[in-house]
Amino acid sequence: MIRISDRAFDPGAELTAFEQNAANAGAIVSFLGRVRGKAGEADVSSLYLEHYAGVTEAMIAECERDVFARWNVDDVLIIHRIGNLNPGEPIVFVCVSAAHRREAFEAADFLMDYLKTKATFWKKEVRDDGEEWIEPRDEDYKDAARWREDE
Amino acid sequence: MIRISDRAFDPGAELTAFEQNAANAGAIVSFLGRVRGKAGEADVSSLYLEHYAGVTEAMIAECERDVFARWNVDDVLIIHRIGNLNPGEPIVFVCVSAAHRREAFEAADFLMDYLKTKATFWKKEVRDDGEEWIEPRDEDYKDAARWREDE
Amino acid sequence: MARLLFFGKLGDLAGGRLHERVLPDGVATVDQLIAAITAEDEALGEALAAPSVRFIVNEKMADAGVAISDSDEIAFLPPVSGG
Amino acid sequence: MARLLFFGKLGDLAGGRLHERVLPDGVATVDQLIAAITAEDEALGEALAAPSVRFIVNEKMADAGVAISDSDEIAFLPPVSGG
C-alpha cells in the first residue's frame, strides 16, 4: 500500500496495524526517515516536500510491483509525507513483511533507495542560512546502483 | 539496550518509545521476528525459548559494543522473548537509529545474524507432528559469515 | 490550453507550479517550448534546459523531441529528493 | 557442589537444566566429566560429546580440557537458535 499525505503520521501505530494485517509473516523490516535538525553546521527550521500528484503514486506502485516480482515478500507499506515538516517529524516509513528476514531486509533497502533517488518528490530545506532545494547525495546514487549490478 | 523477558511486548509501542528517545537520528531501522504458524507442512502450536541468564545478556552486550565500534549508529534496542510463545507472537525486535540509513540497515542486519546464529538462546517447536529443538538453517550461517568476509 | 508543471526549484523560478497557457506559435515539441520560454525568461529557460531536468508529457516520461499541443500536460522535473 | 547446566535438547536428556552435584572422584576437566556422565547415562554422555556442543565454565567459553572443581558452574550448550 502507498500513502502520500500532507498529514503527520505515527510510525509505531502504523507498524502495529501493518503487523496485525501480516498475520502469517515471520519477519517484518521497517525503515523510518525523519527530518534532521542539522544540515552540516546550519540549523534546519523546516522542510517542504512536494510531489507530482497521481504520477508519483503510479511510479511507486510500479516499483512496488518490481519488489513483489524480485523478492518473496508478503506485504509492503509505503507512507511518504508532503507539505511542511518540522525537525524530528517522520518523512517516510516503509514496512516489508516476508517469511524470512533476508528478503524483508533487501526489499526495504531497495524501496528506500528508490524513494531517495527515483521517486518524484522534491524537498526544500529552510535553514538559518537560507533555503535550498535538496538533491540526492553521491552516496544515495551509489546505494541505488547496487541493485542494478545485482541483476 | 537489551531486554530479555518472558513477557509479551508490543513492537509498535516499543518503536514509538525508541523513536522518542532517538530525537536527533534521521534513520531508524527495525526488525521484528515472530513465531510462524507453519514449519514445513506441520502446524506449530507453540514455541518454547530458553537462554543462559546473565551470560546471554553479557554476550549480546558485547555484540552491541561491536556494532557501536563498527558503524556510526546512535542507539540500539534489542528485545528478545523467552518462555512459551504462540504463533504470531513477537520473538525478537531490534531497532537501530543512525544519522544515515545505510548504517542503520547494516547494523540491524548484523545484529539479527548474531541473534540467529550466535546468541545463546534455544528454541523448541511444539508441532502437531511432535516437538523439536531448532538449529540455525544453513542460510543463517551463510548470512552471519558475510560480516566476517567484510572485515 | 496546455498545462505546464514546474516542480522543486523550477516552480520557484517559474513563480508557481502550474501555468495554464496557449503554447506560443510554432511550438510543437518540448525543445521548442523551452526555447520559447527562454526568450520570455532567460533564467527559467536555462534551468529547464539543464541536462538533469526530465520531462513528463501526459504522465509519461518523454524526451525533449516529443510532440506537444495545447491539450497536453507537460511537466518539468529537476533532480528528485524524496525519503 | 558444582553447578551443571544443560540447555536446549541437553536439558531434556538430562531431565532438567540445573544439576547441583559433587563432581565424581577423579574428574578434574570437562572431558573427564563427560566421560563420568557417559558411564551413568550413555545417551546424555554421547550428546554432550558431540562436536557441536560448546562449554562455558564460570560464564566464560572454555574447551574440553579446562580444569573444573566443585566450586564451578559448568554449562553445556548445544547449537543455539535465537531470533
Side-chain angles (χ1 to χ4, degrees):
Chain A
M1 208 188 67
I2 298 159
R3 201 161 84 227
I4 299 178
S5 165
D6 58 3
R7 293 173 59 180
F9 65 91
D10 174 348
E14 297 294 344
L15 178 60
T16 298
F18 183 78
E19 197 210 337
Q20 283 165 356
N21 283 328
N24 296 315
I28 295 175
V29 169
S30 82
F31 176 85
L32 170 63
R34 301 188 304 178
V35 182
R36 273 190 292 270
K38 284 275 182 188
E41 294 300 297
D43 286 325
V44 174
S45 60
S46 71
L47 206 63
Y48 171 74
L49 267 148
E50 64 182 28
H51 79 313
Y52 188 175
V55 172
T56 303
E57 286 86 345
M59 290 170 77
I60 296 174
E62 203 180 310
C63 172
E64 201 184 41
R65 283 190 293 275
D66 285 352
V67 164
F68 282 106
R70 187 158 175 172
W71 286 282
N72 188 13
V73 301
D74 289 348
D75 199 8
V76 166
L77 169 67
I78 298 164
I79 303 175
H80 205 296
R81 276 295 308 277
I82 52 173
N84 287 302
L85 286 84
N86 295 316
E89 260 193 272
I91 306 172
V92 59
F93 191 56
V94 165
C95 291
V96 178
S97 62
H100 296 291
R101 73 186 183 291
R102 181 104 326 275
E103 271 129 334
F105 267 114
E106 287 192 8
D109 200 1
F110 174 86
L111 282 165
M112 279 312 305
D113 285 342
Y114 179 87
L115 292 170
K116 282 274 177 185
T117 61
K118 294 188 183 138
T120 46
F121 292 99
W122 296 271
K123 139 170 108 185
K124 182 161 65 174
E125 260 174 15
V126 182
R127 302 186 305 242
D128 55 3
D129 64 350
E131 297 187 356
E132 188 189 356
W133 288 97
I134 303 303
E135 301 192 1
R137 304 168 300 155
D138 287 347
E139 215 177 324
D140 292 322
Y141 287 122
K142 257 179 243 161
D143 284 349
R146 292 177 301 158
W147 307 106
R148 224 170 12 226
E149 288 157 18
D150 271 0
E151 279 165 333
Chain B
M1 206 188 69
I2 299 158
R3 202 162 82 228
I4 299 178
S5 165
D6 59 3
R7 293 173 58 179
F9 64 92
D10 174 348
E14 297 294 343
L15 178 61
T16 298
F18 183 79
E19 197 209 338
Q20 283 164 355
N21 283 328
N24 297 312
I28 295 176
V29 169
S30 81
F31 176 85
L32 170 62
R34 301 190 302 180
V35 181
R36 274 189 291 271
K38 283 275 181 186
E41 294 300 297
D43 287 325
V44 174
S45 58
S46 71
L47 206 63
Y48 170 75
L49 266 149
E50 63 182 28
H51 78 313
Y52 188 174
V55 171
T56 304
E57 287 86 345
M59 290 171 77
I60 297 175
E62 203 181 307
C63 173
E64 200 184 41
R65 282 192 293 276
D66 285 351
V67 164
F68 282 106
R70 187 158 176 172
W71 288 282
N72 189 14
V73 301
D74 290 347
D75 199 8
V76 166
L77 169 67
I78 299 163
I79 302 175
H80 205 296
R81 277 295 309 277
I82 52 172
N84 288 302
L85 286 84
N86 295 316
E89 261 193 270
I91 306 173
V92 59
F93 191 56
V94 165
C95 291
V96 178
S97 63
H100 297 289
R101 73 187 183 291
R102 181 102 329 270
E103 271 128 336
F105 267 115
E106 287 192 9
D109 199 2
F110 174 85
L111 281 164
M112 279 311 306
D113 284 343
Y114 179 86
L115 292 170
K116 282 275 178 185
T117 61
K118 294 188 183 140
T120 46
F121 292 98
W122 296 272
K123 138 171 110 186
K124 182 162 64 174
E125 261 175 14
V126 182
R127 301 186 305 243
D128 56 3
D129 64 350
E131 298 188 354
E132 189 189 358
W133 288 96
I134 302 302
E135 301 192 1
R137 303 168 301 154
D138 287 347
E139 215 177 325
D140 293 321
Y141 287 122
K142 258 180 241 158
D143 284 349
R146 292 178 302 160
W147 307 105
R148 223 169 13 225
E149 286 157 21
D150 271 358
E151 279 166 336
Chain C
M1 284 198 292
R3 288 166 53 84
L4 308 190
L5 285 166
F6 302 96
F7 291 101
K9 64 183 178 193
L10 302 177
D12 286 359
L13 280 168
R17 286 169 71 194
L18 172 61
H19 293 238
E20 294 189 285
R21 59 179 287 181
V22 174
L23 294 179
D25 276 350
V27 165
T29 66
V30 172
D31 257 345
Q32 290 165 357
L33 175 60
I34 293 174
I37 290 174
T38 306
E40 299 164 7
D41 179 340
E42 200 178 326
L44 176 59
E46 275 175 15
L48 297 179
S52 61
V53 171
R54 293 179 303 152
F55 318 113
I56 291 186
V57 175
N58 298 333
E59 310 205 337
K60 291 215 172 77
M61 296 297 298
D63 63 38
V66 77
I68 54 174
S69 76
D70 276 332
S71 59
D72 291 335
E73 177 173 288
I74 301 134
F76 296 91
L77 288 66
V80 298
S81 55
Chain D
M1 284 196 293
R3 288 167 54 84
L4 308 191
L5 286 166
F6 302 95
F7 291 102
K9 65 183 177 191
L10 303 176
D12 286 358
L13 280 169
R17 286 170 70 195
L18 172 62
H19 293 238
E20 296 190 283
R21 59 180 286 184
V22 174
L23 294 179
D25 276 349
V27 166
T29 66
V30 172
D31 257 347
Q32 290 165 358
L33 175 58
I34 293 173
I37 290 174
T38 307
E40 298 165 6
D41 178 340
E42 200 176 327
L44 176 59
E46 274 174 18
L48 296 178
S52 60
V53 171
R54 293 179 305 151
F55 319 112
I56 291 186
V57 175
N58 298 331
E59 309 204 340
K60 291 215 173 74
M61 296 295 298
D63 62 37
V66 76
I68 53 174
S69 76
D70 277 331
S71 59
D72 292 333
E73 178 174 287
I74 302 135
F76 295 90
L77 287 67
V80 298
S81 54

